[in-house]
Amino acid sequence: MGDLMYKYDTYDQAMVDARVDEFRDQVARRIAGHLTEDQFKPLRLMNGLYLQLHAYMLRVAVPYGTLSGAQMHALGDIADKYDRGYGHFTTRQNIQYNWIKLDEAPDILADLAKVEMHAIQTSGNCIRNTSSDQYAGAAADEVTDPRPYAELIRQWSTFHPEFSYLPRKFKIAVIASETDRAAMRLHDIGVKIVRNDAGELGAAFYVGGGMGRTPMIGPLVRDWVPLDQFITYAEACLRVYNRHGRRDNKYKARIKILVHELGKEEYTRQVEAEFALLLAQNIEPPLAELERIKAQFADPRFEAGLADLVDRSDPDFALWVDNNCVRHKTPGYIAVTISLKPIGGIPGDASADQMRLMAELATRYSFDELRVTHAQNIVMPHVRKDQLYDLWQQLDEAGLGTPNLDLVGDIIACPGLDYCSLANARSIPVAQKIGQRLAAKEQQIGELKLKISGCINACGHHHAGHIGILGVDRKGTENYQLLLGGCEGADTSLGQITGPGFDEDGIVDAVEKATEVYLSTRTDGERFLDTYRRIGMAPFKEALYG
Amino acid sequence: MAEVQFRFRHDEAVGDPGVTVGAFGAQSNAAAVRLEPGDEARDLLPHLDRLRLIEINFPVYGDGRGYTAARVLREAGYTGELRAVGDVLVDQLAFMRRCGFDAFAPEVALDPAAAQAAFGRYPEVYQPTVDGRAPIWAKRHLAAQDG
Amino acid sequence: MKLLTGNDLKSGAVTWWDGVQWSLHVEDAIDVGDHADSILARESAAQRVNAAYAIEASKDENGVRPGHIKERIRALGPTVRPDLTLKPADPAAGQWVI
């Protein structure tokens, strides 16, 4: 297993093994007819197994997006053995397989358990996978690695007996920098680890963010929770939600609605009251447990004195470095993004061979570590600059070298109506056509985060796109709304609809027109988002609707 | 009233069904009360010493408010019988036990073998609750604990 | 016409009621008329189908055509991966969906 991430001890392993046995028993009872589908559904959902448009879909958890080479290799093998040779990386840092058979699902979970992986609580009305910053442990601007806190949350939330039948799903994100690379403000709970003036670490809690039908930015509920009260505070937030979250209307059941309807002050007051009572219950793990987890996320043995420059004489390589590689906290190293968005490809998909190749490359070039990003790409967090060219050549040969991180071709798209029974419209063909249409101008346009959702559930995070696209059903045909000006960073904002929707060809034209408005009005150094914020919606509306 | 199918207590069961929370206040002799999901468990705290049975109803298994109610009552010191009634299925038994339920009266009787397997499925627990089981983090740091 | 579609419990494969059993091919689907509910109840209880439901459809020169694009995609497979559909060699399959 990777050296620099959490490794299961015998207790953790016993838990996932018991879960496999439990699910095997539940599947057997379902197939024998002892459980109806209504009774079985929440159980299979709590193991990430959906019944989707074409078959069962399995969503495997990648806790805070971190994977070892062996784990990524296993994901590739699972794609070959049980599915159709590929997987889909999601906007919550997980991976999905689309062609699963129910009677094989327990075997898949058993195979996952062998590499310390699982599909626990990746669906259902429970606490889901906790996400984090894809550059954790590598970023120059973090106060600490956020992932130990995410691991503490993972264990606290796993099989939590009080919070397994919540009003609705619950998603937590943890960051430890001012720059929010995990869309933390758009989560049910967003935690930011911060340092106070005395140099101590504590946690700021934002509660009640989310997308979907009613997007909301999570308000700050507590700016400082000491680390030795962190889990107790989270428990208080959840308890108030379990008790008072709406259960009368599925579309009003998230915590964001509760916080909005109570108001931030009243919600906070209730949490603080619960928190005071819970402190007496001694449910907080000792700081020694946090330290034990932190020790497993120690820095790799970075070499000192390495060359801190990159040979840029190959222009294709230089372009990829400029786009896909970001500064590392340690001289001589760099963090690399492998784009899963080839022009005309399916955003976020990787073949089994590609997964195994990425695994091998990570073992060789990145201290055996990979990250899944919520933008559906893969990061190799710790690469030596003097090995970067070798790495790039191998990625490029495998179709993994597209130099488009955060450019318009780096599209976030949900699977849409091609795969998802909840969708109103297909999203992938739209992504493909936009990528092809704008390929020639992509570098000139610069940073433009385009996000597509096939329905209002917003799994494509379209509210947070600089350009967002929402698929709707207009009298039985697919139609697309265009949104502008969303952003998921520290300056989180929600996209605004431009006006009437478009058909598939029309939305591609509309996106192109929006980029033309930008290119013709931008001032020096402005990204698309900056220009939009400066000039407003009117010039775009004019160009789109005349 | 559904039969109590599983009970983890040694005292005698209270035979009367629980009165509603609304009626309970007016009846000083009632020793059994029944909580619906929308009721506030903490309304019962002043009366815990005279309560021998609290039934918590799960009209549909997906409404998880009863889990919070159970824990709140146990955390406040209630030691009487805490009985889960209603749409109680095999796969919720272990969580209910951990939240403090010690009696189960499912509307539809459960297969006893399946129930027994469910109660004993997990050898370890990640979180401390009122059931007294040591959480995994406590077992990891035994040496560091006082006493 | 009214068709019934569901999933095979074990394999998850999309199936269509053909009057006798559940077929993988929408072309075999028959009009169940007013009997949707009774067939669904019987077949679900016998576990010969899972999560089945009724849809509107029509018949044209190509055969059975589900009324909504969602079920046409369900009948064929993902339009963006022709190789994974029921008709990988048919270049017109994607157009049929739309």
Side-chain angles (χ1 to χ4, degrees):
Chain A
M1 218 49 59
D3 283 336
L4 308 161
M5 57 193 69
Y6 187 74
K7 285 166 282 301
Y8 285 2
D9 61 9
T10 52
Y11 295 114
D12 300 309
Q13 191 66 50
M15 294 300 260
V16 296
D17 291 342
R19 178 60 149 212
V20 173
D21 285 344
E22 181 185 46
F23 189 59
R24 200 179 283 288
D25 174 67
Q26 290 165 342
V27 169
R29 283 158 58 214
R30 174 74 187 102
I31 290 176
H34 303 317
L35 279 172
T36 67
E37 187 62 16
D38 274 345
Q39 294 167 337
F40 181 63
K41 187 170 169 182
L43 307 176
R44 63 167 165 78
L45 288 178
M46 284 198 272
N47 285 289
L49 193 66
Y50 284 86
L51 187 53
Q52 261 297 8
L53 193 59
H54 303 297
Y56 291 101
M57 180 271 276
L58 179 67
R59 181 181 295 147
V60 173
V62 183
Y64 36 88
T66 295
L67 283 169
S68 67
Q71 289 171 327
M72 179 64 97
H73 188 104
L75 293 178
D77 285 349
I78 285 169
D80 273 340
K81 187 172 168 191
Y82 298 103
D83 204 271
R84 296 196 183 176
Y86 71 105
H88 173 76
F89 290 98
T90 76
T91 54
R92 294 224 70 243
Q93 301 179 301
N94 293 319
I95 183 172
Q96 292 178 174
Y97 297 104
N98 297 301
W99 306 91
I100 298 301
K101 299 181 180 57
L102 177 62
D103 55 354
E104 293 181 348
D107 293 334
I108 301 172
L109 298 189
D111 283 4
L112 287 168
K114 288 196 191 100
V115 288
E116 301 182 15
M117 296 186 82
H118 61 75
I120 293 167
Q121 294 171 212
T122 54
S123 186
N125 294 335
C126 51
I127 301 170
R128 306 283 189 90
N129 185 30
T130 298
S131 57
S132 189
D133 176 355
Q134 68 269 19
Y135 298 127
D141 64 345
E142 62 182 21
V143 304
T144 185
D145 189 328
R147 293 173 299 161
Y149 306 89
E151 176 60 26
L152 205 62
I153 292 173
R154 184 187 76 81
Q155 297 192 20
W156 159 75
S157 64
T158 298
F159 311 144
H160 196 299
E162 187 180 344
F163 304 138
S164 290
Y165 293 92
L166 296 170
R168 199 78 171 90
K169 63 180 98 168
F170 205 92
K171 301 178 180 180
I172 303 176
V174 184
I175 64 170
S177 58
E178 278 311 307
T179 304
D180 177 6
R181 288 179 285 267
M184 179 269 290
R185 297 294 296 276
L186 296 170
H187 278 73
D188 298 278
I189 288 180
V191 174
K192 183 163 66 172
I193 306 297
V194 293
R195 206 180 276 285
N196 65 10
D197 293 333
E200 299 163 321
L201 290 174
F205 272 68
Y206 298 79
V207 184
M211 284 179 273
R213 231 158 270 258
T214 38
M216 291 180 190
I217 298 169
L220 180 65
V221 160
R222 190 44 128 94
D223 64 357
W224 182 266
V225 175
L227 291 186
D228 62 353
Q229 297 179 341
F230 176 73
I231 290 297
T232 309
Y233 200 81
E235 185 108 355
C237 292
L238 262 298
R239 179 170 279 185
V240 171
Y241 174 56
N242 190 50
R243 175 66 189 82
H244 294 291
R246 288 179 65 167
R247 293 179 190 258
D248 59 311
N249 179 343
K250 183 175 157 181
Y251 303 118
K252 304 230 174 221
R254 299 290 288 272
I255 195 173
K256 65 187 177 189
I257 303 297
L258 177 66
V259 173
H260 185 72
E261 290 184 348
L262 287 178
K264 183 192 99 159
E265 283 69 33
E266 175 57 19
Y267 173 76
T268 303
R269 189 195 66 75
Q270 292 193 25
V271 168
E272 296 290 338
E274 255 341 303
F275 177 57
L277 289 167
L278 279 168
L279 281 172
Q281 294 298 317
N282 298 314
I283 61 170
E284 190 78 32
L287 280 176
E289 176 63 2
L290 180 59
E291 294 309 312
R292 184 191 72 88
I293 296 172
K294 274 189 173 179
Q296 303 197 40
F297 289 94
D299 274 350
R301 285 196 205 90
F302 294 124
E303 280 187 49
L306 293 176
D308 203 35
L309 293 171
V310 163
D311 179 351
R312 300 170 56 84
S313 46
D314 180 333
D316 292 334
F317 171 58
L319 186 66
W320 178 81
V321 172
D322 289 344
N323 281 297
N324 287 32
C325 299
V326 301
R327 189 175 149 236
H328 195 282
K329 67 185 184 187
T330 304
Y333 288 83
I334 197 161
V336 168
T337 294
I338 301 171
S339 170
L340 297 183
K341 322 287 179 67
I343 301 168
I346 297 178
D349 277 15
S351 70
D353 284 339
Q354 286 175 325
M355 287 187 238
R356 284 185 289 257
L357 175 66
M358 289 191 286
E360 188 198 313
L361 293 174
T363 306
R364 251 193 294 150
Y365 294 99
S366 183
F367 293 93
D368 196 30
E369 192 171 331
L370 303 123
R371 313 287 174 74
V372 184
T373 85
H374 76 281
Q376 305 173 296
N377 290 317
I378 304 294
V379 160
M380 290 175 57
H382 315 296
V383 178
R384 283 171 52 154
K385 285 186 178 178
D386 61 2
Q387 295 179 343
L388 194 56
Y389 187 67
D390 289 343
L391 172 62
W392 170 73
Q393 286 183 305
Q394 294 172 79
L395 288 171
D396 199 40
E397 200 182 301
L400 295 168
T402 314
N404 65 355
L405 175 61
D406 292 344
L407 303 183
V408 72
D410 184 15
I411 297 172
I412 291 177
C414 72
L417 190 53
D418 277 306
Y419 284 101
C420 183
S421 53
L422 300 175
N424 286 315
R426 285 170 297 154
S427 52
I428 299 169
V430 173
Q432 292 172 319
K433 290 185 172 148
I434 291 172
Q436 284 157 337
R437 176 78 67 89
L438 296 177
K441 287 196 276 183
E442 186 178 55
Q443 296 293 335
Q444 183 194 8
I445 293 168
E447 181 183 312
L448 204 177
K449 298 189 183 181
L450 194 152
K451 306 185 191 214
I452 307 176
S453 300
C455 80
I456 196 63
N457 286 302
C459 301
H461 296 181
H462 64 281
H463 298 294
H466 302 167
I467 293 180
I469 296 174
L470 171 64
V472 299
D473 180 332
R474 193 157 152 229
K475 296 180 191 151
T477 55
E478 299 167 300
N479 202 269
Y480 299 92
Q481 288 181 352
L482 183 66
L483 297 86
L484 301 176
C487 175
E488 62 190 20
D491 55 343
T492 300
S493 59
L494 300 170
Q496 300 301 306
I497 294 177
T498 58
F502 307 87
D503 65 14
E504 186 177 290
D505 289 331
I507 191 68
V508 179
D509 291 340
V511 170
E512 184 172 34
K513 284 200 188 108
T515 64
E516 282 164 4
V517 170
Y518 159 65
L519 287 173
S520 61
T521 56
R522 69 177 172 182
T523 63
D524 209 36
E526 274 187 344
R527 306 164 299 163
F528 178 93
L529 179 66
D530 302 320
T531 301
Y532 173 80
R533 283 175 169 170
R534 175 172 58 82
I535 69 177
M537 178 65 84
F540 293 93
K541 247 182 135 102
E542 178 65 36
L544 291 167
Y545 304 107
Chain B
M1 181 175 103
E3 186 201 309
V4 175
Q5 200 180 355
F6 310 103
R7 192 166 187 273
F8 296 89
R9 297 180 68 87
H10 305 297
D11 57 2
E12 238 184 79
V14 170
D16 307 323
V19 302
T20 65
V21 171
F24 178 74
Q27 295 188 28
S28 54
N29 289 332
V33 73
R34 178 179 169 115
L35 273 179
E36 298 298 331
D39 291 329
E40 185 52 69
R42 293 210 168 94
D43 288 346
L44 297 177
L45 296 197
H47 311 288
L48 287 185
D49 48 356
R50 72 171 158 107
L51 277 167
R52 291 184 50 224
L53 166 66
I54 301 176
E55 291 179 321
I56 296 182
N57 188 25
F58 291 86
V60 288
Y61 65 76
D63 187 332
R65 285 179 280 184
Y67 297 91
T68 292
R71 278 188 85 192
V72 162
L73 290 164
R74 289 297 192 208
E75 287 167 8
Y78 174 64
T79 55
E81 180 173 325
L82 197 53
R83 185 187 296 175
V85 308
D87 192 20
V88 174
L89 308 177
V90 162
D91 304 280
Q92 287 95 49
L93 293 177
F95 285 155
M96 288 177 171
R97 187 102 177 82
R98 299 215 63 223
C99 287
F101 289 100
D102 52 12
F104 303 84
E107 215 162 79
V108 176
L110 305 176
D111 168 44
Q116 187 169 12
F119 278 123
R121 174 79 60 196
Y122 284 88
E124 306 291 347
V125 294
Y126 275 125
Q127 315 82 1
T129 66
V130 294
D131 71 358
R133 291 175 75 176
I136 286 170
W137 53 252
K139 294 188 176 186
R140 284 171 177 152
H141 300 279
L142 269 174
Q145 287 181 346
D146 292 338
Chain C
M1 57 193 289
K2 225 178 184 90
L3 309 184
L4 299 179
T5 182
N7 297 79
D8 182 78
L9 175 62
K10 277 208 272 189
S11 73
V14 172
T15 57
W16 307 85
W17 178 245
D18 74 359
V20 174
Q21 56 191 6
W22 294 88
S23 165
L24 294 174
H25 304 284
V26 70
E27 304 87 82
D28 299 339
I30 58 142
D31 184 0
V32 297
D34 292 328
H35 303 292
D37 288 344
S38 58
I39 298 172
L40 287 175
R42 181 192 71 219
E43 294 297 305
S44 300
Q47 303 228 128
R48 287 189 287 267
V49 75
N50 191 27
Y53 59 102
I55 63 160
E56 293 298 326
S58 59
K59 233 184 171 117
D60 64 14
E61 64 275 6
N62 293 323
V64 174
R65 183 177 178 76
H68 196 281
I69 183 172
K70 174 172 154 183
E71 275 75 35
R72 294 196 291 273
I73 294 176
R74 195 176 153 78
L76 173 70
T79 65
V80 291
R81 286 292 302 267
D83 60 315
L84 298 177
T85 64
L86 287 177
K87 300 188 171 177
D90 180 357
Q95 271 308 109
W96 173 84
V97 159
I98 301 167

